[in-house]
């Protein structure tokens, strides 16, 4: 039984071979041939079995020895002959002849040469490019990068994650949706425009992506940047119009919190919304500054006017003045013959939200100060002073007081912006809000994605409330959106969360615990100072030798009345 079974296996393997195989006994009489041999030489096994091999194939000289790579012609077919003896108990019992079609081998060799040549040409073209080119797989890992790309990121890019290299999350969207995107990134202190184009597999699913980084010294970059910003403005406008028509959008009741200090900030913001004073919103990235700004506008006297958001960190310095204040017709090479209104003109009668105000160049800060003081400005290349009726809301995640000490931010501009300051606490200081926010995001993405997620299991809830959320609410929303794309229906489980949230590194936990201990000590010191000064906050600040604004920031952060 064992011999029959073994023979059946061998027959199956031999018949499956692509190369022609002829087996003979020790005297050279043919025992069998496979299907590939029948097809290659137009013979049948039944016709030649038992015949001496040299009678059927005269070009084969039967020898009782091992031969490799013999070139010959059998039945008008050029082949490579390999002769392998079959040995049993140290005796020759037969011979295997393996024959490879030379024409097929030459075709393969030619194809390999063509592929090699294409690869060389591909490398040559990309190496000659003045732009940085990254080719990534479907997981966002760089598989190829040209010389300019490696210079740009100051490292050998292959093997790295494209999002970490370019400091943007746009690649994930492109790889998920298959829709090309244009991005503006600041890489190694350089303003760059990046196009992300998916590589489609069978025209349906992205199997990778090509990201091209255009440097700011490229002659086309400025023109591309202007068009990109113009498109962004249009998208922003239509988005705002859409949000205006959504019931309850941009209202304070959309800001979810159970945290005492945050509830107090909401009430304060709603109270000052009716005034026309400038507001400065501070806090870490992702804490909800944008939402507060929109809510203030929605409850202000200018709620029927436009709300124009300006991301100061995304505008190249060379375009800053023309983007903020517009430009006159034909004021520079490439300028429109009709000129262009800037953000301040677009916001006339409404609110302008200067996000990431800490990144505005010093050269623009003087002109911005003038607009805030006088509500007047002049277009680039213009001769007529224009007046605007706007409310200014600014936001930053930077410490502007520290920036002033380093001469990176004007003191007079800071005090003009800081008429009313709202300091939003980080999500790690309001852990009671993590689960309510998560539930809200589940509901949001059920509506957007058409998913039917019912909630989160206990393991997920524990993981979410234990994680320190360095990216704050934005990171939490991205986590829920990611989970929604994996779950679709039912509960979110731990397998749907990123590994770093489920299995947070111990060092990160120690750092978080360290911060929490320090914050607790800081809070106790402030409470002791208030007790010693009998509740007088100014006296308590003097006692601790810190400024009143810093003292009030700490009161807000720790929820102290």
């Amino acid at each position: 039984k064992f011999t029959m079974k073994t023979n059946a296996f061998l027959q199956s393997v031999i018949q499956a071979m692509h190369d022609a195989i002829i087996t003979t006994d020790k005297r050279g009489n043919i025992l069998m041939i496979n299907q590939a041999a029948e097809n290659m030489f137009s013979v049948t096994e039944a016709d030649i079995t038992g015949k001496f091999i040299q009678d059927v194939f005269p070009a084969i000289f039967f020898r009782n020895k091992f031969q490799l790579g013999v070139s010959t012609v059998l039945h008008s077919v050029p082949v490579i002959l390999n002769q392998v003896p079959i040995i049993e108990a140290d005796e020759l019992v037969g011979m295997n002849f393996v024959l490879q079609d030379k024409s097929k081998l030459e075709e393969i060799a030619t194809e390999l040469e063509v592929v090699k040549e294409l690869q060389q040409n591909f490398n040559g073209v990309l190496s000659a490019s003045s732009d940085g080119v990254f080719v990534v797989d479907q997981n966002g890992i760089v598989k190829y990068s040209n010389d300019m790309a490696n210079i740009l990121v100051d490292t050998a890019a292959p093997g790295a994650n494209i999002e970490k290299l370019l400091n943007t999350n746009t690649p994930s969207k492109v790889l998920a949706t298959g829709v090309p995107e244009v991005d503006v990134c600041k890489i190694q202190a350089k303003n760059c425009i990046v196009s992300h184009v998916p590589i489609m597999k069978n025209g349906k699913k992205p199997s990778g992506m090509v990201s091209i980084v255009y440097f700011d010294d490229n002659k086309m970059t400025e023109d591309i940047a202007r068009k990109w910003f113009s498109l962004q403005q249009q998208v922003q406008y239509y988005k705002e119009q859409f949000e205006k028509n959504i019931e309850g959008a941009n209202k304070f009741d959309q800001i979810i919190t159970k945290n005492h200090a945050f509830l107090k900030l909401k009430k304060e913001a709603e109270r000052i919304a009716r005034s026309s004073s400038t507001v400065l919103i501070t806090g870490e990235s992702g804490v909800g500054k944008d939402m507060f700004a929109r809510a203030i506008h929605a409850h202000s006297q200018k709620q029927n006017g436009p709300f124009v958001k300006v991301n100061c960190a995304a505008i190249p310095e060379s375009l800053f003045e023309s983007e903020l204040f517009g430009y006159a017709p034909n004021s520079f090479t490439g300028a429109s013959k009709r000129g262009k209104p800037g953000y301040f003109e677009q916001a006339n009668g409404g609110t302008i939200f200067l996000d990431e105000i800490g990144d505005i160049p010093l050269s623009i800060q003087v002109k911005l100060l003038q607009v805030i003081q006088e509500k007047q400005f002049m277009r680039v290349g213009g001769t007529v002073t224009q007046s605007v009726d706007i409310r200014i809301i600014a936001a930053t995640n930077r410490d502007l007081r520290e920036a002033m000490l380093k001469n990176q931010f004007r003191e007079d501009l800071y005090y003009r912006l800081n008429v009313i300051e709202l300091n939003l606490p980080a999500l790690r200081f309001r852990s009671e809000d993590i689960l309510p926010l998560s539930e809200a995001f589940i509901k949001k993405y059920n509506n957007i994605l058409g998913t039917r997620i019912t909630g989160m299991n206990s393991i997920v809830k524990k993981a979410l409330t234990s994680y320190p959320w360095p990216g704050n609410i934005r990171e939490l929303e991205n986590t829920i959106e990611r989970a929604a794309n994996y779950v679709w229906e039912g509960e979110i489980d731990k397998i749907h969360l990123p590994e770093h949230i489920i299995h947070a590194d111990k060092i990160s936990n120690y750092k978080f615990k360290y911060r929490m201990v320090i914050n607790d000590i800081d809070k106790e010191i402030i409470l002791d100072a208030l007790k010693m000064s009998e509740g007088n906050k100014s006296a308590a600040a003097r006692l601790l030798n810190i400024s009143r604004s810093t003292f009030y920031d700490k009161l807000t952060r720790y929820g102290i009345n």
Side-chain angles (χ1 to χ4, degrees):
K1 289 183 179 178
F2 176 77
T3 304
M4 290 176 63
K5 190 173 183 180
T6 304
N7 184 58
F9 278 126
L10 288 173
Q11 286 285 346
S12 177
V13 170
I14 290 170
Q15 292 299 334
M17 297 281 290
H18 178 72
D19 295 329
I21 296 177
I22 303 171
T23 303
T24 73
D25 60 19
K26 62 182 180 180
R27 288 181 290 274
N29 297 318
I30 297 173
L31 298 177
M32 62 155 287
I33 66 172
N34 67 352
Q35 185 67 47
E38 290 183 329
N39 295 337
M40 188 179 295
F41 304 117
S42 299
V43 297
T44 64
E45 187 178 33
D47 290 340
I48 66 174
T49 299
K51 293 182 179 180
F52 182 56
I53 189 168
Q54 207 163 334
D55 292 340
V56 180
F57 302 102
I60 295 180
F61 296 98
F62 185 81
R63 296 182 178 90
N64 295 335
K65 64 178 183 179
F66 189 91
Q67 294 186 92
L68 282 179
V70 178
S71 181
T72 186
V73 177
L74 303 179
H75 287 214
S76 303
V77 179
V79 295
I80 300 295
L81 170 67
N82 299 302
Q83 182 176 332
V84 182
I86 304 171
I87 306 296
E88 184 178 354
D90 294 330
E91 287 188 16
L92 178 71
V93 295
M95 193 73 66
N96 269 329
F97 296 86
V98 181
L99 303 123
Q100 298 173 292
D101 189 333
K102 282 180 66 176
S103 60
K104 294 290 177 64
L105 293 175
E106 288 170 357
E107 284 179 15
I108 294 171
T110 302
E111 288 177 4
L112 289 174
E113 283 299 320
V114 170
V115 170
K116 184 178 179 181
E117 186 177 348
L118 285 173
Q119 178 70 26
Q120 290 173 342
N121 291 339
F122 173 75
N123 291 340
V125 170
L126 293 186
S127 295
S129 174
S130 60
D131 302 314
V133 181
F134 299 90
V135 181
V136 306
D137 63 16
Q138 58 193 12
N139 298 313
I141 303 301
V142 177
K143 294 299 181 184
Y144 176 85
S145 59
N146 68 353
D147 293 340
M148 290 303 292
N150 294 330
I151 292 171
L152 175 67
V153 297
D154 195 26
T155 184
N161 184 286
I162 188 69
E163 293 194 345
K164 291 182 179 178
L165 286 177
L166 302 184
N167 194 27
T168 176
N169 60 3
T170 303
S172 291
K173 297 178 182 177
V174 175
L175 290 168
T177 64
V179 179
E181 293 274 358
V182 176
D183 207 358
V184 172
C185 302
K186 199 162 192 175
I187 309 165
Q188 300 288 347
K190 293 183 179 181
N191 294 310
C192 304
I193 295 173
V194 187
S195 67
H196 306 282
V197 181
I199 302 169
M200 303 304 291
K201 185 177 182 180
N202 300 324
K204 294 180 180 179
K205 187 179 179 181
S207 60
M209 180 182 67
V210 178
S211 296
I212 302 176
V213 182
Y214 304 95
F215 292 95
D216 59 354
D217 56 353
N218 187 296
K219 62 181 181 181
M220 294 179 63
T221 300
E222 188 170 341
D223 185 47
I224 293 172
R226 290 183 187 281
K227 291 179 180 178
W228 187 87
F229 280 116
S230 176
L231 289 171
Q232 285 293 98
Q233 288 173 229
Q234 294 176 46
V235 170
Q236 184 68 23
Y237 171 78
Y238 289 118
K239 181 180 177 183
E240 289 164 2
Q241 295 302 310
F242 174 73
E243 288 176 344
K244 282 182 180 180
N245 295 324
I246 299 176
E247 185 178 356
N250 295 336
K251 301 292 177 66
F252 281 105
D253 55 12
Q254 297 295 304
I255 300 175
I256 298 169
T257 185
K258 292 183 178 180
N259 179 269
H260 176 72
F262 211 75
L263 284 168
K264 185 178 177 182
L265 275 172
K266 274 180 64 175
K267 291 179 181 178
E268 183 180 345
E270 193 167 358
R271 187 166 57 251
I272 61 95
R274 298 184 178 278
S275 78
S276 59
S277 298
T278 301
V279 180
L280 177 63
I281 307 174
T282 59
E284 295 178 12
S285 179
V287 293
K289 299 187 289 292
D290 183 283
M291 201 166 188
F292 260 76
R294 293 177 185 275
I296 291 170
H297 169 72
H299 284 257
S300 72
Q301 296 177 356
K302 299 184 184 298
Q303 60 184 284
N304 295 322
F307 177 89
V308 176
K309 178 181 176 179
V310 183
N311 188 340
C312 298
I315 304 176
E317 185 170 354
S318 59
L319 300 179
F320 233 110
E321 188 174 0
S322 62
E323 289 299 320
L324 287 182
F325 309 119
Y327 58 81
N330 299 315
S331 54
F332 51 83
T333 303
S336 170
K337 294 180 180 179
R338 293 178 294 179
K340 178 190 170 184
Y343 287 122
F344 275 92
E345 281 184 73
Q346 295 172 45
N348 192 24
T351 301
I352 188 167
F353 176 41
L354 301 173
D355 196 14
E356 305 298 350
I357 190 71
D359 292 308
I360 196 168
L362 277 169
S363 58
I364 304 297
Q365 290 181 23
V366 177
K367 296 181 179 180
L368 180 59
L369 177 64
Q370 181 182 355
V371 177
I372 295 173
Q373 291 179 158
E374 302 173 7
K375 298 294 191 294
Q376 292 183 332
F377 65 93
M378 189 178 295
R379 283 187 177 186
V380 174
T383 57
V384 179
T385 300
Q386 300 191 50
S387 299
V388 284
D389 175 23
I390 56 173
R391 182 180 194 169
I392 297 172
I393 301 176
T396 183
N397 59 10
R398 293 185 62 189
D399 186 339
L400 295 184
R401 297 181 188 88
E402 183 180 341
M404 286 190 294
L405 292 174
K406 295 179 180 178
N407 294 320
Q408 295 172 347
F409 201 86
R410 291 179 62 93
E411 186 176 356
D412 47 4
L413 177 59
Y414 170 75
Y415 288 114
R416 277 291 179 182
L417 291 171
N418 193 21
V419 177
I420 300 170
E421 182 176 358
L422 300 173
N423 181 258
L424 307 188
L427 187 56
R428 60 182 173 273
F429 297 120
R430 39 186 289 226
S431 57
E432 63 266 53
D433 290 339
I434 292 172
L435 295 183
L437 284 166
S438 299
E439 295 289 350
F441 293 140
I442 288 173
K443 183 177 179 181
K444 174 181 177 179
Y445 287 103
N446 275 342
N447 291 330
I448 292 174
L449 302 175
T451 51
R452 295 184 296 276
I453 302 171
T454 56
M456 304 164 284
N457 66 24
S458 57
I459 297 174
V460 170
K461 289 178 180 179
K462 183 178 179 181
L464 294 181
T465 51
S466 300
Y467 183 65
W469 298 109
N472 293 295
I473 300 171
R474 184 181 296 120
E475 184 183 7
L476 175 61
E477 180 172 2
N478 289 344
T479 300
I480 298 299
E481 181 183 2
R482 177 189 185 275
N485 277 280
Y486 286 105
V487 184
W488 286 101
E489 60 183 4
E491 283 190 334
I492 297 175
D493 200 353
K494 67 176 184 178
I495 61 171
H496 305 127
L497 297 182
E499 285 293 321
H500 68 276
I501 292 179
I502 292 295
H503 305 294
D505 186 81
K506 288 184 178 180
I507 295 176
S508 297
N509 288 334
Y510 288 143
K511 287 181 179 178
F512 177 59
K513 290 176 183 177
Y514 172 76
R515 286 196 298 267
M516 293 299 291
V517 170
I518 294 299
N519 290 333
D520 288 343
I521 295 171
D522 195 22
K523 183 177 179 179
E524 288 299 322
I525 292 172
I526 290 172
L527 290 171
D528 287 344
L530 284 170
K531 186 176 180 180
M532 292 173 66
S533 60
E534 298 180 347
N536 188 314
K537 295 176 182 177
S538 297
R542 287 194 296 273
L543 185 64
L544 296 174
N545 195 28
I546 59 177
S547 67
R548 284 184 60 195
S549 58
T550 301
F551 186 76
Y552 277 96
D553 285 348
K554 291 179 179 290
L555 293 180
T556 301
R557 179 184 300 173
Y558 302 131
I560 302 172
N561 292 323

